Amino acid sequence: MYGKIGLAVGQTHFGESRSHCNYRTVWSLRSCTLFSNVTGSVDDRGTCQCSVFLPDTTFPVDRVERLEFTAHVLSQKFEKELSKVKEYVKLISVYEKKLLNLTVRIEIMEKDTISYTELDFELIKVEVKEMAKLVVQLKESFGGSSEIVDQLEVEIRNITLLVEKLETLDKNNVLAIRREIVALKTKLKECEASKGQNTPVVHPTPTPGSCDHGGVVNISKPSVVQLNWRGFSYQYGAWGRDYSPQHPDKGLYWVAPLNTDGRLLEYYRLYNTLDDLLLYVNARELRITYGQGSGTAVYNNNMYVNMYNTRNIARVNLTTNTIAVTQTLPNAAYNNRFSYANVAWQDIDFAVDENGLWVIYSTEASTGNIVISKLNDTTLQVLNTWYTKQYKPSASNAFMVCGVLYATRTLNTRTEEIFYYYDTNTGKEGKLDIVVHKMQEKVQSINYNPFDRKLYVYNDGYLLNYDLFFLQNPQ
């Protein structure tokens, strides 16, 4: 909408009247100046007249300012949403790789005529379960379109159904045959045991806390508990069950993954029951800032750790999450001088058995061979020390049972071997050949519980446990 303004100009100074005239007009609208050439006409009296059209209203500066502010707000929101999308794309790419890996493994299991084991199924089940849980969390926190997440969730559900179908079909009936073989072996052992009273037999369940047996002679297949609560990236750590001689059946469960650097122990969780651990419920999550390595152990409601960057050891009260006492472990090597094979920062490794608290380490004087010290669990004073002939970096890990050290070594990516023992009761040492199956390549820690006679193993982030079998003393 424009208004019309008439302009009249005086007489021309020409000898004759003109039929038209040109003038250059100038006017200002707030901050802007307009220049225009206008064509007019001359009337009968020689007066030049022209019409100029001007805007009906002034320039809307306030509307422009509001528009600029709105554009700025939208730009900030867009940047925020874009950063979220980038983060989710990274997570989804990781899950897609894991899904592809699972798909390849399942295809191999479908096509392969070689027998597959119960452990293979358990590993895949745990991984699929963890991925499904993470995808649900991702879906809940996704603010925008979740089409990709939905597709990923469907693929994981399909993988789960396929694994269950494979396990049910079990082409070669491997699992059923294995169970029958185990039952037959058990009957055979009972039959052999009945032939002679003085023949040693395997006694799988001695009295809890008792050392009335001839030592470890076998170990069960691994039982897959779950992935550690912090996830796939936390491959180093330890877990187990507290043992208290006064209340052996009341021991809580603990899980202590190291940070992703594989060195610092910062967060750990406590569970009153195994069911709580399995369901990730009723957990006490606690934080410390000074733990180092996977050599952690828990005894009588106290956690024992190697202090960061030192040869000092500490007792942490689990009720208050405070350091109760610290001591220097005399002459102990530390900071990867003599750690286990394949596992860094475990120069100092605590162990618990029927006799109490132990520490496994090396010194320069022992030239890297394993040194065993019995500790006072309250003051951390060294009570006694034994020197072995086994080089510590050649072993993958170790644990104590009834005052006997058992050391493991890696045979391949799926098998360990308990290959060495040292008996602190007699000073004898020797070789063993007890095969230990595992889920993943590296074993980060082994903890023994005297009440349930189980080994608690941290295996590349997975929590496993094993039943130990002992030689029964001759009657």
Side-chain angles (χ1 to χ4, degrees):
M1 188 78 181
Y2 295 89
K4 185 175 180 181
I5 299 177
L7 298 178
V9 188
Q11 294 283 345
T12 61
H13 299 282
F14 300 102
E16 55 185 358
S17 62
R18 303 280 184 177
S19 60
H20 67 275
C21 59
N22 291 327
Y23 283 93
R24 192 166 185 267
T25 59
V26 181
W27 57 86
S28 176
L29 294 177
R30 285 200 178 181
S31 60
C32 60
T33 303
L34 180 64
F35 298 86
S36 177
N37 290 319
V38 180
T39 301
S41 61
V42 180
D43 60 10
D44 296 337
R45 292 177 296 178
T47 302
C48 186
Q49 294 180 337
C50 62
S51 298
V52 179
F53 293 90
L54 294 177
D56 199 23
T57 59
T58 57
F59 187 75
V61 176
D62 55 339
R63 294 173 61 186
V64 172
E65 290 176 348
R66 287 198 300 271
L67 181 62
E68 288 179 347
F69 177 75
T70 303
H72 178 67
V73 171
L74 288 175
S75 177
Q76 286 182 326
K77 289 183 178 179
F78 175 77
E79 291 295 333
K80 184 178 179 181
E81 293 299 321
L82 184 61
S83 64
K84 284 184 180 180
V85 170
K86 289 180 179 178
E87 181 181 350
Y88 294 148
V89 167
K90 290 180 182 178
L91 287 173
I92 289 173
S93 65
V94 172
Y95 299 151
E96 284 179 334
K97 290 179 182 177
K98 292 182 181 295
L99 196 60
L100 179 61
N101 180 46
L102 286 174
T103 305
V104 171
R105 286 162 58 190
I106 289 176
E107 288 175 353
I108 292 173
M109 291 172 66
E110 280 185 304
K111 298 175 183 177
D112 202 355
T113 57
I114 300 174
S115 61
Y116 42 88
T117 67
E118 209 162 358
L119 184 59
D120 294 322
F121 286 120
E122 289 297 327
L123 173 56
I124 293 177
K125 280 182 181 179
V126 170
E127 290 184 3
V128 172
K129 179 181 176 183
E130 187 66 22
M131 287 175 60
K133 177 184 174 184
L134 293 175
V135 167
V136 169
Q137 293 176 351
L138 180 63
K139 190 174 180 180
E140 290 176 351
S141 61
F142 206 107
S145 173
S146 60
E147 181 178 350
I148 299 177
V149 182
D150 291 338
Q151 182 180 354
L152 192 61
E153 187 178 23
V154 171
E155 291 182 15
I156 290 174
R157 191 180 300 116
N158 291 339
I159 286 283
T160 304
L161 295 174
L162 185 55
V163 172
E164 291 176 354
K165 182 178 179 181
L166 276 174
E167 190 176 21
T168 303
L169 291 175
D170 189 14
K171 296 177 183 177
N172 301 320
N173 284 325
V174 176
L175 304 182
I177 293 172
R178 175 175 293 138
R179 294 186 183 105
E180 291 181 11
I181 291 174
V182 170
L184 288 174
K185 284 184 176 180
T186 303
K187 291 181 180 179
L188 181 60
K189 289 176 181 178
E190 291 174 355
C191 182
E192 289 176 346
S194 65
K195 289 182 179 179
Q197 294 182 350
N198 294 326
T199 304
V201 295
V202 172
H203 195 291
T205 55
T207 305
S210 167
C211 292
D212 186 21
H213 55 75
V216 177
V217 293
N218 208 346
I219 189 170
S220 71
K221 300 289 185 182
S223 173
V224 183
V225 177
Q226 64 181 187
L227 186 69
N228 79 86
W229 58 274
R230 298 190 73 181
F232 292 102
S233 301
Y234 297 84
Q235 296 191 347
Y236 294 84
W239 85 293
R241 185 182 183 187
D242 181 21
Y243 176 68
S244 172
Q246 293 77 25
H247 305 285
D249 59 334
K250 303 296 183 183
L252 52 79
Y253 293 85
W254 57 275
V255 183
L258 302 184
N259 285 358
T260 51
D261 62 1
R263 181 180 182 182
L264 178 64
L265 170 57
E266 187 174 6
Y267 295 97
Y268 65 94
R269 279 187 178 181
L270 305 176
Y271 303 87
N272 289 326
T273 67
L274 183 59
D275 287 342
D276 287 347
L277 187 152
L278 292 171
L279 298 173
Y280 297 103
V281 298
N282 302 322
R284 288 175 55 209
E285 185 174 326
L286 302 168
R287 181 175 184 262
I288 58 177
T289 58
Y290 43 78
Q292 175 170 284
S294 304
T296 305
V298 173
Y299 179 70
N300 208 13
N301 201 47
N302 290 283
M303 177 178 283
Y304 298 89
V305 299
N306 174 208
M307 298 287 283
Y308 194 87
N309 204 35
T310 71
R311 61 167 56 93
N312 295 340
I313 55 179
R315 174 169 67 89
V316 181
N317 185 307
L318 293 182
T319 302
T320 61
N321 191 41
T322 56
I323 296 178
V325 65
T326 61
Q327 285 286 354
T328 299
L329 187 59
N331 303 316
Y334 64 100
N335 282 0
N336 277 338
R337 176 59 176 142
F338 297 117
S339 189
Y340 291 122
N342 305 321
V343 182
W345 312 108
Q346 204 171 344
D347 303 74
I348 298 175
D349 183 22
F350 290 95
V352 172
D353 72 355
E354 291 80 356
N355 298 329
L357 180 66
W358 305 79
V359 63
I360 304 164
Y361 60 106
S362 294
T363 66
E364 295 295 341
S366 73
T367 63
N369 288 348
I370 292 176
V371 177
I372 309 166
S373 287
K374 182 73 171 63
L375 298 178
N376 181 305
D377 62 276
T378 302
T379 66
L380 299 183
Q381 293 289 338
V382 174
L383 304 178
N384 206 345
T385 299
W386 294 261
Y387 297 89
T388 75
K389 297 177 183 178
Q390 176 58 47
Y391 188 54
K392 188 170 182 283
S394 294
S396 59
N397 227 278
F399 60 96
M400 300 289 297
V401 177
C402 290
V404 180
L405 170 88
Y406 294 91
T408 62
R409 65 182 174 188
T410 301
L411 297 183
N412 54 53
T413 57
R414 284 301 185 97
T415 312
E416 296 278 309
E417 180 187 48
I418 301 175
F419 76 102
Y420 172 83
Y421 75 92
Y422 184 94
D423 191 344
T424 63
N425 303 295
T426 63
K428 293 181 179 180
E429 58 188 326
K431 300 297 181 180
L432 297 169
D433 57 354
I434 303 173
V435 174
V436 182
H437 297 282
K438 57 186 177 180
M439 283 180 58
Q440 301 285 8
E441 183 175 349
K442 297 178 183 178
V443 171
Q444 281 74 28
S445 68
I446 302 176
N447 282 285
Y448 169 68
N449 183 272
F451 176 73
D452 55 24
R453 304 284 187 172
K454 290 181 183 291
L455 292 184
Y456 292 82
V457 177
Y458 198 99
N459 180 203
D460 279 344
Y462 288 91
L463 312 182
L464 313 181
N465 62 33
Y466 299 78
D467 292 313
L468 291 179
F469 300 97
F470 301 91
L471 186 68
Q472 184 178 0
N473 287 328
Q475 299 297 323

